[in-house]
Amino acid sequence: DQQVKQNSPSLSVQEGRISILNCDYTNSMFDYFLWYKKYPAEGPTFLISISSIKDKNEDGRFTVFLNKSAKHLSLHIVPSQPGDSAVYFCAASAVGSGNTGKLIFGQGTTLQVKP
Amino acid sequence: DAGITQSPRHKVTETGTPVTLRCHQTENHRYMYWYRQDPGHGLRLIHYSYGVKDTDKGEVSDGYSVSRSKTEDFLLTLESATSSQTSVYFCAISETRTGNYGYTFGSGTRLTVV
């Protein structure tokens, strides 16, 4: 039972254009969402997060949007750069009272940014 | 990654042998996690720890055990390795229970069971 789903295994965009990575979740208890970036032979690194009380969070070129009614979030990268080429993981947790707070990850989307 | 190291980085072992992977942190974080990464599955939680001698199962715990006798070390043991346990294993640490500041991951251990 995949509670966090990234349905696009890969995405290819041109340098300078927008990259949009999508993520869907099924567990309505999730109230905190994160994106991680992973380069080959390295561990994932934290990129950006959003709480369920917000619908948008921005950090430089990276913006995460949350649509709670649709149980959907997306990561926008503008403008995309070749160094952004990596695997991106969406993750979710239930941080409210009584919940364990463990991160549940999606399958990942491989982003390729072409020069 | 600074503050968290995994050993070994690579290991090849035979089916049926026991294997122990080590995660060591210098951040004094209370929360530690073991994940495995497989194509098409992303990162799946194996076991986690909320403190010394306080561990619990994740979503794919069958065939694995863990121990945490010190804050800084979290060991993952495959009691009798199988080919289905060929994977890349990541350890992660967190300052908070909720991980809302994000987990810090180690660089991973690539395990091959032949």
Side-chain angles (χ1 to χ4, degrees), chain A residues 32 36 38 43 99-100 102-103, chain B residues 35 48 50 97 100 103 106:
Chain A
Y32 202 79
Y36 281 79
K38 184 186 179 303
N99 292 311
T100 60
K102 301 188 300 295
L103 286 183
Chain B
Y35 284 85
Y48 58 99
Y50 286 173
R97 174 185 66 83
N100 53 326
Y103 291 1

Side-chain angles (χ1 to χ4, degrees), chain B residues 12-24:
Chain B
V12 179
T13 192
E14 292 185 351
T15 299
T17 61
V19 177
T20 296
L21 309 183
R22 181 182 184 234
C23 178
H24 179 78

Side-chain angles (χ1 to χ4, degrees), chain A:
Chain A
D1 180 26
Q2 192 83 27
Q3 297 185 68
V4 178
K5 299 179 182 179
Q6 294 176 255
N7 292 316
S8 297
S10 62
L11 175 67
S12 181
V13 300
Q14 209 64 36
E15 181 180 4
R17 306 295 291 270
I18 184 171
S19 295
I20 300 177
L21 295 93
N22 294 303
C23 178
D24 297 296
Y25 62 96
T26 58
N27 189 340
S28 59
M29 297 296 291
F30 288 148
D31 50 11
Y32 202 79
F33 305 89
L34 307 90
W35 285 92
Y36 281 79
K37 177 179 180 180
K38 184 186 179 303
Y39 291 119
E42 295 183 10
T45 55
F46 172 68
L47 190 58
I48 192 170
S49 64
I50 188 167
S51 164
S52 60
I53 63 173
K54 296 184 176 182
D55 55 18
K56 176 183 175 181
N57 188 27
E58 202 169 348
D59 184 2
R61 296 186 297 112
F62 302 90
T63 303
V64 56
F65 295 91
L66 176 62
N67 182 335
K68 290 190 294 292
S69 61
K71 292 191 177 66
H72 177 82
L73 64 155
S74 61
L75 174 68
H76 292 210
I77 306 173
V78 183
S80 301
Q81 300 173 353
D84 296 329
S85 297
V87 178
Y88 289 79
F89 290 102
C90 170
S93 69
V95 303
S97 177
N99 292 311
T100 60
K102 301 188 300 295
L103 286 183
I104 306 299
F105 285 84
Q107 306 96 310
T109 296
T110 300
L111 173 65
Q112 181 185 29
V113 180
K114 298 179 179 179

